[in-house]
Amino acid sequence: MSQNLLIVEDEASIREPLAKYFETNQFRVKAAASGAEARQLLAAHAFDLVISDIMMPGEDGLSLCRHIRSTSNLPVILLTARSEELDRILGLEVGADDYVVKPFSPRELLARVKAVLRRANSLPPKQTPPDTLRYAFGDWVLKTGERELVGPDGLTVPLSTGEYALLLAMVERPKLVLTRDQLLDLTQGREASVFDRSIDNQISRLRRKIEEDPKTPRYIKTVWGGGYTFSAEVRRL
């Protein structure tokens, strides 16, 4: 089944050929010349992925990506003529799933789009709605509203942003095997090839905080060749 793509690019010489290229590759495409036009299309249509230029007059791609991420998990790939590391970091920090530097070949962009869609479609669904909730496991309670982890002694255990996102992703999907790529997508939306070790490091830090014996974990278990699983019973309070 064809998937719906939104291309946001102010330069018609890029936007129009790109739209035709994706249409010939079995995508249904709508194109916008500005962030404002993109917002109208997003409100009126359902899309599977957005490709957006960063440098545009009016609302730029970073602002548009931030808006999309505040309202949905719709995958976003950013395009820019700049190659500075700061631009790339800013794009990833606002929630972009990938980042492509101009000039690029349409064939490369198509491969990136397919890869992002493949990862997004392979993510296990949440077992509970994303409301303000409390998840209890063992003697621990994770409070999503306060973004706090309360230990057996009733004291709050500090978590970094990455540790909190990782723990939340796992307690929402207990007893499911999650690969490193899936955990990266669920917590950071970043390229696994670049940030693969960050998941292992965060798992180690979480184990030191919640496991009685981090070397023999009770909660976060390694699945050799697969990834990790949260093996405890999780109760929604």
Side-chain angles (χ1 to χ4, degrees), residues 141-174:
V141 175
L142 182 66
K143 301 178 179 180
T144 63
E146 300 89 337
R147 299 173 68 91
E148 291 180 349
L149 177 64
V150 179
D153 55 6
L155 299 178
T156 298
V157 176
L159 295 176
S160 69
T161 299
E163 291 165 355
Y164 169 79
L166 180 58
L167 183 57
L168 179 60
M170 298 191 82
V171 300
E172 286 176 334
R173 300 163 180 84

Side-chain angles (χ1 to χ4, degrees), residues 6 8 32 34-40 42 50-53 56 59-71 76 78 94:
L6 173 61
V8 190
S34 66
E37 186 178 349
R39 285 188 182 231
Q40 293 177 350
L42 286 165
V50 176
I51 299 172
S52 177
D53 188 22
M56 296 186 294
E59 182 176 25
D60 64 19
L62 293 175
S63 174
L64 179 63
C65 181
R66 191 178 294 109
H67 164 71
I68 293 171
R69 194 55 66 242
S70 70
T71 57
V76 178
L78 293 177
V94 298

Side-chain angles (χ1 to χ4, degrees), residues 29-226:
V29 181
K30 291 192 179 297
S34 66
E37 186 178 349
R39 285 188 182 231
Q40 293 177 350
L41 289 172
L42 286 165
H45 304 276
F47 293 99
D48 297 294
L49 185 141
V50 176
I51 299 172
S52 177
D53 188 22
I54 287 184
M55 301 301 293
M56 296 186 294
E59 182 176 25
D60 64 19
L62 293 175
S63 174
L64 179 63
C65 181
R66 191 178 294 109
H67 164 71
I68 293 171
R69 194 55 66 242
S70 70
T71 57
S72 73
N73 291 319
L74 180 63
V76 178
I77 295 178
L78 293 177
L79 308 176
T80 182
R82 296 183 178 181
S83 59
E84 288 87 349
E85 184 180 10
L86 178 59
D87 287 339
R88 182 175 181 278
I89 292 172
L90 286 174
L92 295 172
E93 285 184 345
V94 298
D97 295 88
D98 205 349
Y99 185 100
V100 180
V101 178
K102 298 177 183 177
F104 57 85
S105 71
R107 190 173 180 178
E108 177 195 358
L109 183 57
L110 175 62
R112 298 285 192 100
V113 166
K114 288 181 176 179
V116 170
L117 287 172
R118 188 164 54 247
R119 294 201 309 271
N121 293 333
S122 70
L123 295 178
K126 292 181 180 179
Q127 294 181 347
T128 54
D131 300 326
T132 299
L133 300 172
R134 296 186 177 193
Y135 295 95
F137 55 95
D139 296 322
W140 298 87
V141 175
L142 182 66
K143 301 178 179 180
T144 63
E146 300 89 337
R147 299 173 68 91
E148 291 180 349
L149 177 64
V150 179
D153 55 6
L155 299 178
T156 298
V157 176
L159 295 176
S160 69
T161 299
E163 291 165 355
Y164 169 79
L166 180 58
L167 183 57
L168 179 60
M170 298 191 82
V171 300
E172 286 176 334
R173 300 163 180 84
K175 300 188 177 181
L176 292 177
V177 177
L178 299 171
T179 67
R180 289 175 178 81
D181 285 356
Q182 289 173 332
L183 288 169
L184 282 166
D185 287 326
L186 288 165
T187 60
Q188 301 175 28
R190 298 179 176 180
E191 279 296 302
S193 60
V194 178
F195 293 96
D196 184 71
R197 292 300 303 174
S198 68
I199 289 296
D200 296 321
N201 293 335
Q202 288 174 0
I203 289 287
S204 295
R205 290 196 295 269
L206 272 177
R207 282 174 171 166
R208 288 196 293 270
K209 291 181 178 182
I210 69 174
E211 302 283 4
E212 185 175 350
D213 181 1
K215 294 183 179 180
T216 309
R218 170 187 175 190
Y219 302 115
I220 304 174
K221 295 189 175 181
T222 301
V223 179
W224 300 111

